[in-house]
Amino acid sequence: MVKAGSIIPFSDDMAYADEKKGAVRHIRIYDGADGVFDFYNDAGDGYDYENGEYCLVHMEYCYEKHELMLSTADGSYPVQKCISVQLVKEDGTVEDKQIIYSGEEARYYV
């Protein structure tokens, strides 16, 4: 059982750590409560993150509004523009939605 409000990124199997450059297959949100998550990504191969080569996006899910807020991305590493968001409802059904994220603060109804 997963705690209501959890926001969990999922990716495909990889042969090595930076094969997919941190891209996620989907973000899964477990309905039933508000939730927050900080999504961090970098090249995975070196210390460039120390010079700002990373991407950090704060995510907030509002249960009452069924709204996902993504903050303006911090850092200079490219953002993942197309994101699949899966909302796991309290009855176990899953709704899938594709969102386009530009790196600027945005709100999406899921």
Side-chain angles (χ1 to χ4, degrees), residues 43-79:
D45 63 352
Y47 296 95
D48 288 339
Y49 67 91
E50 293 177 347
N51 298 316
E53 280 289 318
Y54 64 87
C55 180
L56 179 63
V57 179
H58 180 73
M59 300 179 178
E60 292 183 11
Y61 175 68
C62 177
Y63 168 64
E64 185 177 298
K65 297 179 182 178
H66 286 250
E67 182 181 76
L68 177 65
M69 187 280 300
L70 277 63
S71 71
T72 298
D74 186 31
S76 61
Y77 194 75
V79 299

Side-chain angles (χ1 to χ4, degrees), residues 11-65:
S11 63
D12 294 325
D13 292 339
M14 295 179 282
Y16 52 94
D18 63 343
E19 177 180 8
K20 300 201 186 284
K21 300 294 183 200
V24 297
R25 182 174 188 181
H26 56 264
I27 304 273
R28 189 170 287 171
I29 302 170
Y30 290 84
D31 207 13
D34 293 347
V36 297
F37 181 77
D38 288 323
F39 181 69
Y40 176 86
N41 192 14
D42 66 25
D45 63 352
Y47 296 95
D48 288 339
Y49 67 91
E50 293 177 347
N51 298 316
E53 280 289 318
Y54 64 87
C55 180
L56 179 63
V57 179
H58 180 73
M59 300 179 178
E60 292 183 11
Y61 175 68
C62 177
Y63 168 64
E64 185 177 298
K65 297 179 182 178

